[in-house]
């Protein structure tokens, strides 16, 4: 039987150890929160959530913990042209929908046809492809309802 909480902790311990990093309660709290949400939070949002569990934790510690998790392959960092970043507890291949109004990022449920990607790879002109990211941009249901932003 897998107890989800215990499983999360052992995944974290193992990955930190393999990267020569120490297990800390702060890192564990940040990791638990990332794994529990599909919201792709910013560092600020992670900070606001975990400080309820870990009194005294600082934004700087949250930020460093997030970067450590990314470095250990336990989370992904999504960066944008404006310098903002969001974190994702999922590290498997998947794609995103991003709202141009509120910045919300959602997982795309559909899989992208691998044959189509390989077809693109064939025309990559000597570029060695090691992965790909697909992001659909537009307006989330909330922002669209608000009648705000017209199409770009
Ligand atoms: Zn939105
Ligand atoms: Mn995601």
């Amino acid at each position: 039987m897998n107890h989800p909480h215990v499983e999360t902790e052992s995944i974290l311990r193992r990955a930190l150890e393999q990267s020569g990093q120490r297990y800390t309660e702060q890192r564990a709290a940040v990791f638990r929160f990332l794994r529990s949400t599909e919201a792709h939070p910013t560092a600020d949002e992670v900070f606001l959530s975990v400080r309820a569990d870990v009194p005294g934790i600082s934004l700087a510690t949250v930020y460093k913990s997030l970067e450590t998790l990314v470095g250990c392959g336990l989370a992904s960092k999504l960066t944008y042209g404006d310098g903002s970043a969001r974190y994702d507890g999922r590290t498997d291949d998947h794609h995103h929908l991003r709202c141009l109004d509120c910045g919300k990022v959602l997982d795309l449920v559909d899989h992208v046809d691998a044959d189509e990607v390989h077809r693109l790879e064939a025309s990559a002109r000597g570029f060695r492809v090691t992965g790909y990211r697909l992001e659909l941009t537009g307006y989330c249901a909330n922002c669209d309802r608000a009648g705000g932003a017209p199409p770009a």
Side-chain angles (χ1 to χ4, degrees):
M1 280 285 284
N2 283 334
H3 187 289
H5 183 83
V6 171
E7 199 197 2
T8 297
E9 191 181 305
S10 62
I11 289 168
L12 177 62
R13 281 189 189 278
R14 203 175 318 123
L16 286 172
E17 206 169 287
Q18 277 168 3
S19 303
Q21 300 276 359
R22 236 161 17 90
Y23 177 96
T24 65
E25 270 318 309
Q26 288 94 331
R27 287 169 177 173
V30 169
F31 185 53
R32 272 198 302 274
F33 175 66
L34 265 194
R35 297 262 292 193
S36 74
T37 179
E38 291 175 31
H40 307 85
T42 62
D44 285 310
E45 289 164 350
V46 174
F47 171 61
L48 291 177
S49 294
V50 301
R51 73 173 175 182
D53 299 332
V54 188
I57 193 168
S58 68
L59 176 59
T61 298
V62 166
Y63 186 77
K64 280 183 267 176
S65 298
L66 285 165
E67 293 298 314
T68 300
L69 295 176
V70 171
C72 295
L74 292 168
S76 340
K77 183 179 187 176
L78 312 172
T79 52
Y80 303 100
D82 61 0
S84 64
R86 290 176 173 272
Y87 294 87
D88 191 341
R90 269 182 78 175
T91 54
D92 61 311
D93 278 339
H94 70 286
H95 303 286
H96 293 121
L97 304 163
R98 182 166 60 92
C99 180
L100 296 168
D101 198 350
C102 69
K104 183 190 290 179
V105 173
L106 302 166
D107 286 337
L108 181 65
V109 177
D110 289 327
H111 286 282
V112 174
D113 183 13
D115 289 342
E116 183 67 12
V117 174
H118 288 308
R119 195 185 61 75
L120 295 172
E121 198 171 346
S123 62
R125 294 177 298 164
F127 188 93
R128 190 166 62 86
V129 175
T130 61
Y132 60 97
R133 281 169 66 176
L134 176 67
E135 182 181 81
L136 305 186
T137 49
Y139 299 94
C140 75
N142 257 334
C143 294
D144 213 27
R145 251 200 310 279

